[in-house]
Amino acid sequence: GNYEEGYDDGSGMIDPNTGMPIAAGADGNKVDDLEMRIMSKLKRIGVYWHCSDCDFFSAKKFNTKTHIEAKHLEYTEVPCSLCGVLCANRRRLRYHVSMYHKNE
C-alpha cells in the first residue's frame, strides 16, 4: 500500500495514516502487523472468504477481516489520532471517528 513516513512514539514505528504500529516486511516494505495477523487467518475458498479459526465466512473479504479482528485477535486498543481516545479495534475506531469527528 501507499504509506507516508511513520514516526516513533516510543513503542515502535507508527503509521501516521492509521495510528497503527508498522513493521518492516521481508521485502523491506512497511507492513501493518495487525493486517498480517488478520491475513494469516483468512482464506478464500471459491467465492467465499473463510475464517480459519471458526465456521464464519462471507462473500465480502472486508466482512471476514472485520470478524477476525473483532473475534479472534488479542490486540491492544487502537488510539484515535484526532483526540487520543482508545477504541477496542479498528471497527470501533471507524465508528468513533464517524460519530465524533465527522466535520474534522
Side-chain angles (χ1 to χ4, degrees), residues 7-100:
Y7 62 94
D8 192 337
D9 71 350
S11 65
M13 291 301 288
I14 303 296
D15 181 338
N17 299 313
T18 64
M20 300 295 293
I22 53 176
D27 61 359
N29 292 329
K30 294 175 183 173
V31 178
D32 180 76
D33 179 60
L34 177 59
E35 190 69 17
M36 288 182 356
R37 290 172 35 196
I38 292 169
M39 295 304 288
S40 73
K41 297 177 179 291
L42 182 70
K43 59 185 173 181
R44 184 167 191 159
I45 302 173
V47 297
Y48 296 104
W49 293 93
H50 292 257
C51 171
S52 64
D53 285 355
C54 70
D55 294 331
F56 182 90
F57 66 94
S58 173
K60 296 188 184 258
K61 184 178 182 181
F62 176 83
N63 292 344
T64 306
K65 287 173 64 176
T66 299
H67 160 81
I68 291 168
E69 181 178 356
K71 302 294 183 184
H72 300 297
L73 294 183
E74 292 182 18
Y75 190 73
T76 58
E77 296 166 317
V78 182
C80 174
S81 63
L82 299 171
C83 70
V85 76
L86 295 176
C87 300
N89 54 46
R90 293 185 298 183
R91 181 174 153 245
R92 297 281 185 180
L93 177 61
R94 284 190 298 273
Y95 174 79
H96 164 79
V97 170
S98 73
M99 293 303 294
Y100 298 100

